[in-house]
Amino acid sequence: MKNITVIGAGTMGNGIAHVFAQHNFKVTLVDISEKALENGIKTIRRNLDRMVQKETLSEEQLKSTLDNLTTSTDLQNAAANADLVVEAASENLDIKLNIFKDLDNICPPDTILATNTSSISITQIGAVTQRPDKVIGMHFMNPVPIMKLVEIIRGYSTSDTTANTIMELSLNLGKTPTEVNDYPGFVSNRILMPMINEAIETLYNGVAGVEEIDTVMKLGMAHPMGPLQLADFIGLDVCLSILHVLYDGFKNPKYAPCPLLTNMVMAGKLGVKSGEGFYDYSESRKAEKVASQFKRA
């Protein structure tokens, strides 16, 4: 298994492509947008440069990683000879189902089709293909080059051969694969998203402010990042989508999204990627912080 196709050049997709390329796989990064591909490669290059500066990667390894990467907007050509395809497109069921239908027609019969979905049923995705035994969940954590966990999710029809291959492959990437069953949210988001949603409810009910809630969880529970800051980092729209999947899947009111989260997403306050969520990430805010530092000095 040497030829890897990664679909989606966003945060997760470029991170997954980075890790495979760094471990000597030939990787084609695919997106419908040339601009997204350019930004994805820039991000990979920036992260590699940072690794060189920290002396965790040599200049030779940086060059070989970049040499292992190609980009394409043509899924037909990019996936035609792939041994493995990892889909990292938007967390949207219809988009994923359409991609997997196309992949099933494009890819050789032995190609394994993996999805980086953080909540959507692997069984449902596999069912739209003629190879459900070769469809599997491969849920990387963000930031992909740093985080060790890969949540491996079998669909109802995923074969032992496919699961074992992906477990071994994850180990070869320097990751720690952990196999879980195919239920909404799997393990990671079934636990994480209700916590984030409860933090938003706590803010919504006026119990405490944003920084106070995050401080309690960071200092009191030893979390490296508070739940509201983490929600901004994930993307509030992604959090909302996952909560909808959980609520629809379990029909349990504890998974119902907080109205504040719903309103923020409708208002376009999506977190880091939009420049504002529970915190302000805009350029003007950054300038204010720099100015205040100079004043204190």
Side-chain angles (χ1 to χ4, degrees), residues 189-216:
N189 281 316
R190 183 171 178 171
I191 295 171
L192 175 62
M193 285 302 151
M195 183 192 74
I196 286 176
N197 197 45
E198 191 62 30
I200 299 170
E201 285 279 1
T202 303
L203 176 67
Y204 181 59
N205 292 329
V207 177
V210 171
E211 293 186 6
E212 289 77 13
I213 291 168
D214 279 353
T215 298
V216 168

Side-chain angles (χ1 to χ4, degrees), residues 216-283:
V216 168
M217 296 305 291
K218 285 189 289 185
L219 300 185
M221 314 304 165
H223 290 196
M225 186 182 292
L228 299 177
Q229 184 183 8
L230 180 56
D232 277 354
F233 186 66
I234 294 168
L236 302 191
D237 53 336
V238 175
C239 293
L240 183 61
S241 294
I242 295 170
L243 284 165
H244 281 311
V245 169
L246 290 168
Y247 184 69
D248 291 343
F250 293 115
K251 301 297 188 290
N252 189 322
K254 74 178 182 180
Y255 298 114
C258 176
L260 175 59
L261 175 62
T262 302
N263 282 345
M264 290 179 71
V265 172
M266 286 194 296
K269 311 298 184 184
L270 308 181
V272 174
K273 61 185 169 186
S274 70
E276 185 180 353
F278 293 105
Y279 294 87
D280 188 346
Y281 306 93
S282 63
E283 290 301 320

Side-chain angles (χ1 to χ4, degrees), residues 25-43:
F25 292 88
K26 296 297 182 183
V27 181
T28 303
L29 182 60
V30 181
D31 202 287
I32 58 174
S33 163
E34 285 282 5
K35 184 64 175 176
L37 290 170
E38 290 174 14
N39 289 338
I41 295 299
K42 284 179 182 177
T43 298

